[in-house]
Each structure stands twice: as structure tokens, then as C-alpha cells.
Amino acid sequence: MKKANVLSGQTVHNVAPVLGGGGAAGNAWLIGIIAGLAEAGLDLTQAADLVVGTSSGATAAAHVRSGIPPAELLASVLSPPVQPVGQSREAPPSLPMATVFERMRAIGAAATSAADLQRAMGAFGMESDSILGPAAVEQRRAMVAARLPRPEWPDRPMILVAVDAHTGELVAFDRDSGVDLVDAVTASTALPGVTPTHNINGTHYINGGVRSAENADLASGYANVLVLSPFGGRRGTLPPGQFEGLRRLPGADLESQVEGLRKQGSRVEVITPDADSLAAMGTNQMDPATRIPAARAGFAQGKREAARVAFL
């Protein structure tokens, strides 16, 4: 395995940032952390050899790989959103969140393995499609496309994680998958009951966070892995009102994935929201109103974390 060679102001080699899911608040916090790290001298937009993104982390990954400087990425989060011409201001239809979380908790309680949970979540997603309706599919894709800074896959390696709704198996999209970037991001962010499954060439996909909020194990083989986890790698079931409300079975939790990476020889550092970031992100991380405070708190935290996570 190639060793890292890092000095202040120089390029970091063989580094894989892993950007976990966490709703609107988590996405903004990720951008804030990345901008804060860059402000302190660790620019992951330049240093990363691979970026892994899941759910809202997939959207953040597309921004990190866009070639836009971190300070500008942060500024875009802190600016009021601009409604694209011709795009509806109405959010796509979804099931009531109480219904979604109740179903997720029931699926988690009944699952005897991570594979069981993923298959059941896929079935829930396809069942929900008939309620959400076909118009929601195109509306959702258009919304995702409008939020991407670039429509093309980046030249540098990036993996976006989804789950096959039919089989429950992990799918890792990259530039060689033959799938448009907007479709990969739409698939990775398709939370059953909240958004429709995303159909790509006849296969339906759901949110990659159904498998793992971080999917850090996909950074296997990299000397240095930096996991940014809006959900903090928490085991068990996330509290009511949180984005994925899913039970984390052994092996699918961040602690297990980090342990596996370290056994393979990777140095792994994990950043989770500190007290100020948690307060800014609130109890409903899907609320768009959390974006600006979460980004600001993430920026401040990123500057503080830089010395701890510098790969020496």
C-alpha cells in the first residue's frame, strides 16, 4: 500500500474521503467541514485520490469533485437558493414522514441480517412508487440535476453508492458504469417512501444509506481514509425525526467498517458533528432551514479538526 507523504501546503497522496448521508443538514455540514479543512490547509478537493459519497454525501461528493474551490462551495450553501426557470416550486410528493419512519423501524425490527433489511427496504421503495406516481420520478431527477454543479462525471475517481431495490445488493456507480452522473446521484439519494425508486435501464435503485450511512469499506486499499459522518456512525436505530431511521446491523455500522479498514493497514480518521454542529443540524436533518447553520458550524469545526486529521 502506498504511504502518505504530507507536509503543510503539499499534496496529500492516497487519500480517500468518505462522505456519509445526513439529509439537507448533513449535506451542508459536509461542505462546511471541507471548506474549514481547506481554510486550515487541507484541501480535499485537490488532495483526494478517491471520493466515496452516499445519499446526501453523494451530492456533496459531486460538488467536491466539480473543480470548484471549497470557499466557493461553502458560499453557495450560504446563499439563498435560486429557483431554476421552469422548475416547479412544489416538492415531489412523499408519504407522511411518520408513516415512513414507522415502516422503516418495522423493517429493521423484522430483519435478521443486513441483506434482509436491504431487500425489504427495496420492496418498500417499489411499493411506494405506485403511491408517489410517475410524475414524481422526473420531477425528482430534474431537481437533482439542477443542484449539481456539473452534469459530467469528474475525471478523478469518485464512487456514488446505491442499493439495487430488487436484490438489496450494493451498487457502486463510477464514471465507467455507463450511467449519467445525475442518475447515479438520484439513485443514491432515493429514500423509500420519501422519493420514488430510480429506474436506470429497467433496474430500480434506492438510497445507498439503506446499506450504510457511510459505506466506508469502499475505500479499501487506500492508505488514508477520512470519514465525514453527519450521523456520527451511531449504532442501533437513529432517533425519530432523523433522515434514515434505520437499524444498523453488525457489519453495516461505521465502527465495524473502520475496524476492517484498519486491519487492512489503512489509517482511518473519523469526523462526526461536535456539540455546536449537532445543535445547528437540529432534530430534523431533512429540513432545508438547517442548511445555513449546519454549514457555518461545519466550517468552524473543520478548521478545528484540521490538525487532528492531517495525514503525517
Side-chain angles (χ1 to χ4, degrees), residues 1 4 12-19 44 50 52 214-228 254 257-258 261-262 264-271 309 311:
M1 179 181 293
V12 182
H13 297 292
N14 206 5
V15 171
V18 174
L19 310 184
L44 293 176
L50 170 72
V52 179
E214 298 84 15
N215 292 294
D217 53 327
L218 294 184
S220 175
Y222 282 78
N224 301 290
V225 180
L226 176 58
V227 182
L228 307 184
L254 179 58
Q257 294 177 356
V258 168
L261 289 169
R262 287 174 175 161
Q264 295 172 16
S266 298
R267 173 179 171 180
V268 185
E269 298 287 352
V270 179
I271 297 179
V309 303
F311 296 110

Side-chain angles (χ1 to χ4, degrees), residues 52-260:
V52 179
T54 299
S55 191
S56 60
T59 305
H63 282 76
V64 169
R65 278 301 202 214
S66 67
I68 300 172
E72 292 183 25
L73 294 177
L74 178 62
S76 69
V77 177
L78 298 178
S79 302
V82 176
Q83 185 72 20
V85 176
Q87 182 176 315
S88 171
R89 291 180 179 272
E90 296 184 3
S94 66
L95 298 178
M97 290 311 302
T99 301
V100 173
F101 289 131
E102 180 180 1
R103 184 66 177 273
M104 287 181 178
R105 286 190 288 271
I107 289 172
T112 58
S113 67
D116 283 346
L117 187 149
Q118 290 158 213
R119 284 191 294 269
M121 285 292 291
F124 172 41
M126 290 190 287
E127 173 191 323
S128 302
D129 286 349
S130 61
I131 300 172
L132 301 178
V137 176
E138 287 306 313
Q139 189 175 354
R140 173 67 182 170
R141 187 182 188 278
M143 182 180 296
V144 170
R147 292 173 178 171
L148 293 179
R150 303 279 189 272
E152 307 88 5
W153 281 91
D155 291 332
R156 301 176 70 192
M158 177 174 72
I159 292 173
L160 305 182
V161 187
V163 168
D164 185 318
H166 307 273
T167 66
E169 295 176 344
L170 173 146
V171 179
F173 291 113
D174 61 19
R175 64 177 290 111
D176 297 320
S177 299
V179 171
D180 287 346
L181 177 61
V182 63
D183 288 306
V185 176
T186 305
S188 185
T189 57
L191 185 65
V194 179
T195 63
T197 63
H198 193 57
N199 185 343
I200 304 175
N201 300 324
T203 300
H204 292 253
Y205 297 94
I206 59 172
N207 194 298
V210 167
R211 191 244 184 188
S212 163
E214 298 84 15
N215 292 294
D217 53 327
L218 294 184
S220 175
Y222 282 78
N224 301 290
V225 180
L226 176 58
V227 182
L228 307 184
S229 175
F231 281 147
R234 284 174 286 190
R235 283 186 167 182
T237 302
L238 292 170
Q242 296 295 345
F243 179 55
E244 287 172 48
L246 286 174
R247 177 184 171 204
R248 294 297 175 205
L249 293 161
D253 61 288
L254 179 58
E255 184 176 333
S256 298
Q257 294 177 356
V258 168
E259 181 181 358

Side-chain angles (χ1 to χ4, degrees), residues 39-52:
E39 179 77 7
L42 180 59
D43 185 352
L44 293 176
T45 67
Q46 297 297 319
D49 296 289
L50 170 72
V51 179
V52 179

